[in-house]
Amino acid sequence: MALDLGTPETGCLLLADISGYTDYIGSTELLHAQDVIADLLETIVGVIEPTFQLSKLEGDAAFAYASINSINPTMMLDTVEAAYFAFQKRLRDITHATSCPCDACVMIPKLDLKFFVHDGQYVIRRIARSEELTGHDVILVHRLAKGTAADKIGKPAYAVFTKSTLDTMGMDPTVLGFVPHTESFDDVGDVEVFIQDLALRWTFEQERNRDVVTSSDAVYEASFETPAAPSVVWEYLTNPQKRYEWQTHVTELIPQTEGRVGAGTVNHCMHGPDSVTVEHVSDWRPFDYLTLRYDTAGLVDWAWTQQVETVEDGTRFTMRISNPGDEDWAELGDAFTENVDSQIQNLQNILATQG
């Protein structure tokens, strides 16, 4: 048997764990219940990849990792929230779509989801054709799943981030609204963590107003399909370093808002030393769409929506721009449209290599 012990690597470890699994499996029809869990795990993995690399499925959980150079704070938080929202939507769809009276179907709404995220070292050990992560930090992130975070916030839906993770990524838990907590384990000692209330985020997601430029509202619309995954496209839309690659007219993007990038963030978008556009993030739906509103060249509150849709062979990207006013739009002329067309073509060319 071939054994490759590997070398230590540093990165972000993520464990997505379905809450209520033991009671659900123990008190329902096993075959049907396992089908439901498999469906939900597939939904979770479909979102966390390829931002995170799936290591393995662990019954009711998915364990994944991302190298230190492949993930940024916003993508980490967006991935966790997008996975939770997808889980809740799938849970709702399964519940609404079934009329089966068995216990496995009746108890579906009692399931929930929690995440544990820790930045640390691991060794990828390959045995024959299988892969397994080992190391102290791998043990730690699994110990967190046995901790008391649920008791701390009184809810089954949450994400636990170790202090070392937030420190490494330069994130302020106070600004993010995370709850401080200390977990204590006999074998790994005390671990400082911060807890995000995902149930609260889900409620907010359902209630907050949407700001999106529709086809009927748009004076400009362009789209293309790419083999790249939705999360990859999303990063090229939201990561400043990635945006520079396709928005070549942008020389610098300066966030003016503390904390996480998202709805409410304000950016100063530099187009050379003497040209500044103020960019407001008015809506932010990870791996779905974002809407930016611009104050530039005498135009105020001008809306641009960038949408990401999953299709059979990858992702469809669509850009829609609202009318800033008939006369203003006419004055922008063909040169403006050609510039936007060029940006979108740049993005399409780059993403063609990311599939």
Side-chain angles (χ1 to χ4, degrees):
M1 178 179 293
L3 175 62
D4 181 1
L5 296 178
T7 57
E9 299 181 31
T10 301
C12 191
L13 304 170
L14 179 146
L15 182 66
D17 185 17
I18 296 177
S19 304
Y21 172 82
T22 302
D23 289 343
Y24 181 71
I25 291 295
S27 57
T28 62
E29 294 79 357
L30 181 60
L31 184 61
H32 202 170
Q34 287 288 6
D35 287 343
V36 172
I37 296 299
D39 187 300
L40 293 173
L41 284 173
E42 185 176 352
T43 298
I44 296 164
V45 172
V47 177
I48 65 175
E49 288 188 323
T51 305
F52 287 84
Q53 173 70 44
L54 179 68
S55 173
K56 61 178 178 178
L57 297 177
E58 302 176 349
D60 60 339
F63 180 49
Y65 63 99
S67 68
I68 192 67
N69 297 319
S70 68
I71 191 168
N72 61 67
T74 296
M75 277 300 293
M76 180 185 70
L77 293 175
D78 282 350
T79 299
V80 168
E81 288 190 5
Y84 183 70
F85 296 162
F87 172 86
Q88 281 293 343
K89 290 172 184 176
R90 186 58 185 153
L91 208 64
R92 180 182 60 198
D93 292 346
I94 294 173
T95 302
H96 289 171
T98 183
S99 58
C100 177
C102 78
D103 290 339
C105 290
V106 171
M107 292 182 64
I108 288 174
K110 294 186 177 181
L111 296 172
D112 220 314
L113 183 63
K114 52 189 179 289
F115 294 84
F116 305 90
V117 184
H118 174 56
D119 181 83
Q121 285 195 324
Y122 52 86
V123 171
I124 301 176
R125 184 174 62 183
R126 294 180 175 87
I127 305 175
R129 291 183 298 274
S130 66
E131 176 182 285
E132 183 174 1
L133 268 64
T134 62
H136 171 82
D137 292 306
V138 174
I139 294 172
L140 192 156
V141 77
H142 283 82
R143 288 290 185 274
L144 293 175
K146 307 299 182 183
T148 57
D151 296 332
K152 177 68 176 181
I153 67 169
K155 297 177 182 179
Y158 55 88
V160 173
F161 301 89
T162 58
K163 182 178 184 298
S164 64
T165 301
L166 301 183
D167 288 346
T168 297
M169 295 199 171
M171 302 164 65
D172 186 337
T174 303
V175 173
L176 293 169
F178 293 176
V179 178
H181 182 51
T182 300
E183 296 283 20
S184 298
F185 306 100
D186 292 339
D187 53 352
V188 297
D190 292 345
V191 183
E192 290 186 71
V193 301
F194 292 89
I195 309 169
Q196 180 187 24
D197 186 339
L198 290 178
L200 185 63
R201 291 295 300 166
W202 174 237
T203 299
F204 177 72
E205 170 72 8
Q206 295 178 93
E207 294 179 350
R208 69 186 173 105
N209 293 328
R210 293 182 176 267
D211 182 17
V212 59
V213 180
T214 64
S215 293
S216 60
D217 298 329
V219 291
Y220 175 93
E221 181 170 354
S223 66
F224 63 81
E225 292 189 7
T226 173
S231 59
V232 173
V233 180
W234 182 259
E235 185 170 19
Y236 273 91
L237 303 180
T238 59
N239 183 338
Q241 299 303 318
K242 299 289 189 181
R243 286 181 60 180
Y244 298 150
E245 294 182 31
W246 62 280
Q247 293 183 318
T248 54
H249 64 297
V250 178
T251 58
E252 189 174 9
L253 194 68
I254 308 172
Q256 302 297 303
T257 305
E258 291 185 0
R260 175 188 179 182
V261 177
T265 295
V266 178
N267 299 315
H268 282 187
C269 196
M270 308 295 293
H271 305 261
D274 301 317
S275 179
V276 180
T277 296
V278 179
E279 180 181 274
H280 304 263
V281 181
S282 62
D283 203 353
W284 182 278
R285 312 278 172 161
F287 308 167
D288 186 357
Y289 73 87
L290 69 144
T291 297
L292 305 173
R293 289 185 173 269
Y294 292 97
D295 297 339
T296 179
L299 303 175
V300 178
D301 212 24
W302 185 19
W304 298 44
T305 291
Q306 300 172 24
Q307 188 166 24
V308 176
E309 300 173 87
T310 301
V311 295
E312 183 175 355
D313 295 322
T315 306
R316 178 184 294 113
F317 168 78
T318 304
M319 171 86 81
R320 299 189 188 94
I321 303 176
S322 72
N323 193 345
D326 293 336
E327 294 182 1
D328 291 326
W329 179 254
E331 290 175 0
L332 289 171
D334 293 338
F336 172 80
T337 302
E338 290 174 3
N339 179 271
V340 179
D341 286 342
S342 176
Q343 293 178 43
I344 293 174
Q345 186 62 59
N346 289 342
L347 179 61
Q348 184 175 3
N349 292 341
I350 292 170
L351 291 173
T353 67
Q354 303 297 312

